[in-house]
Amino acid sequence: AQSVTQLDSHVSVSEGTPVLLRCNYSSSYSPSLFWYVQHPNKGLQLLLKYTSAATLVKGINGFEAEFKKSETSFHLTKPSAHMSDAAEYFCVVSAPRGGGSYIPTFGRGTSLIVHP
Amino acid sequence: DTAVSQTPKYLVTQMGNDKSIKCEQNLGHDTMYWYKQDSKKFLKIMFSYNNKELIINETVPNRFSPKSPDKAHLNLHINSLELGDSAVYFCASSQDLPYRDDGGNEQFFGPGTRLTVL
């Protein structure tokens, strides 16, 4: 069994200040972890992915995330928020299901609000 | 070129009707998914097909029936539509083979189909 908890439903920051979106997971396997972004009225787009290589993962648009196994966390950060970062962010854990397939589990999402 | 496309983008219909949503991917992926996103943005996986074979079938009313005519297409047919079916439905695809010991590859999402049942 696996689960994902995004600790904040909304995060509000000012433009130019750091962003922190928190994600904790549980999994019986060594999972892959993903962050996706969804801009208003759009589909989801991959920001970054962890697959047991480097624990600090760099993604698109200046985002990065650090995998911490001891804390079962995969928090998403960005040094300086931009207005265009305002969107919904989803943390996803995926693990082998068996039979050559995988099952992804999505967190409930964090809405990032960026103030001018 | 659109990687994952869905039609229609908007669908407004009456309760009790039957409707279909189509999905196509041109990425050569072997796995396709259907998700339902409710008004609170929660994403729930409904179905997953790998090479035309159903591999994930979550707790979904049997009014929902996926059909995969080939590995590039996964359609969703909904019978006897209900008010609670109103949501945004997303199709996605990924390349799952060769098999990996970790959690697999990223998914590519379509733009969504907003279904409104009146």
Side-chain angles (χ1 to χ4, degrees), chain A residues 67-87:
Chain A
F67 173 72
K68 292 186 176 180
K69 187 173 181 179
S70 60
E71 298 176 11
T72 60
S73 69
F74 190 56
H75 300 336
L76 182 69
T77 60
K78 183 173 180 178
S80 176
H82 192 273
M83 294 297 291
S84 61
D85 294 328

Side-chain angles (χ1 to χ4, degrees), chain B residues 15-80:
Chain B
M15 268 199 314
N17 284 349
D18 302 339
K19 291 293 178 185
S20 292
I21 307 172
K22 296 187 176 181
C23 178
E24 176 181 2
Q25 54 96 3
N26 62 7
L27 298 166
H29 288 167
D30 58 10
T31 304
M32 296 184 72
Y33 308 79
W34 276 110
Y35 288 88
K36 178 181 180 181
Q37 186 174 47
D38 63 23
S39 59
K40 295 183 178 179
K41 303 288 187 182
F42 179 56
L43 269 161
K44 175 183 163 63
I45 190 168
M46 301 173 70
F47 303 103
S48 171
Y49 270 75
N50 178 270
N51 281 319
K52 296 170 49 179
E53 180 184 350
L54 181 65
I55 55 172
I56 294 176
N57 185 357
E58 295 298 293
T59 307
V60 175
N62 58 15
R63 298 181 295 103
F64 290 79
S65 53
K67 292 282 193 309
S68 182
D70 56 61
K71 74 173 192 176
H73 296 84
L74 180 62
N75 303 323
L76 183 65
H77 189 75
I78 315 170
N79 289 327
S80 303

Side-chain angles (χ1 to χ4, degrees), chain A residues 32 36 38 49 94 96 102 104, chain B residues 37 90 99-100 102-104 107:
Chain A
S32 286
Y36 288 85
Q38 183 182 24
K49 170 188 176 186
S94 180
Y102 306 92
Chain B
Q37 186 174 47
F90 286 100
Y99 183 70
R100 305 163 56 117
D102 57 29
Q107 295 176 62

